[in-house]
Amino acid sequence: GAAAIGAPGAAPPPAGLRLGVATYSLRKFDRGKSIAMIRQLGVTDVNVKEYHLPYRSSPAELEAGRKEFEDAGLRIVAGGSVDFEKDDDADVRRYFEYARACRMPLMVIATSHAILPRIEKFVREYGIRIAVHNHGPEDKEFPSPDVALKAVKAMDPRMGVCVDVGHTLRTGVDLVASIRECGARLFDVHIKDLRSPADRKSQCPVGDGVAPTGAIFRQLANMKYGGAISLEYEAEPEDPLPGMIKSFAYFYCVINNKTVLKCFRG
């Protein structure tokens, strides 16, 4: 079975690092099918995208959806990314109510500098943390983690950063240094790989591209990072599981400090 490839079941990987899945990877599949696919990967932490717990759902529907994840042995560690586009109390509250109904302790968000002070007000009211997600050179607000860090570091300590490895690669900044600089404000990591740092469409299984995955994991372990490292596999949306399995196999090789060849041979 697929889960045998590099997957340790529910056992946490060494160095205290927590691996998970961003369900955006499975955006072409319904919730039930996505849950079944995540179970094949042998991880328990999930960052749930709106495809699998829709915003328009009633609180009762969200409760039932959350229970489907939990009954399958999965833990919702975050939701998102959630787009905050209006500097408006009612709109911001709607997403915090959604996160509360889903029992998300963290929302990974895309937003603007202008809306962050309003979001901070709701972080204080609801006690739900947020992590600003960077989206690369096209993102006029938060292209790289250092820009997000600068925006939140004087705000409530529950306002943090989500480093997206693929998008950060494309900005040309030093990825490992960016992660280190986030320090205690690093709440979430979305990990992916690119064959070419200049081409967002060159995404590939982790280990097949240019991302310094080993150095990233070492830095996170050194920081005693306690958040999830969620695979966000955007390639091959119609058939993502083979590439996701390959990525997780590579993660366990890196964590266990083995070459890929040795890892696959056991």
Side-chain angles (χ1 to χ4, degrees), residues 45-65:
D45 286 358
V46 288
N47 178 327
V48 180
K49 183 68 178 175
E50 194 254 344
Y51 298 99
H52 303 113
L53 285 172
Y55 299 139
R56 66 178 182 276
S57 305
S58 69
E61 287 167 337
L62 292 173
E63 172 81 11

Side-chain angles (χ1 to χ4, degrees), residues 3 6 13 18 23 35-36 45 68 86 92 96 176 198 202 216 222-223 256 259 263:
R18 282 171 41 202
T23 75
I35 287 170
D45 286 358
E68 272 185 60
K86 293 183 186 170
V92 172
F96 276 86
V176 177
S202 70
I216 290 168
N222 289 342
M223 289 165 69
N256 292 301
T259 66
C263 195

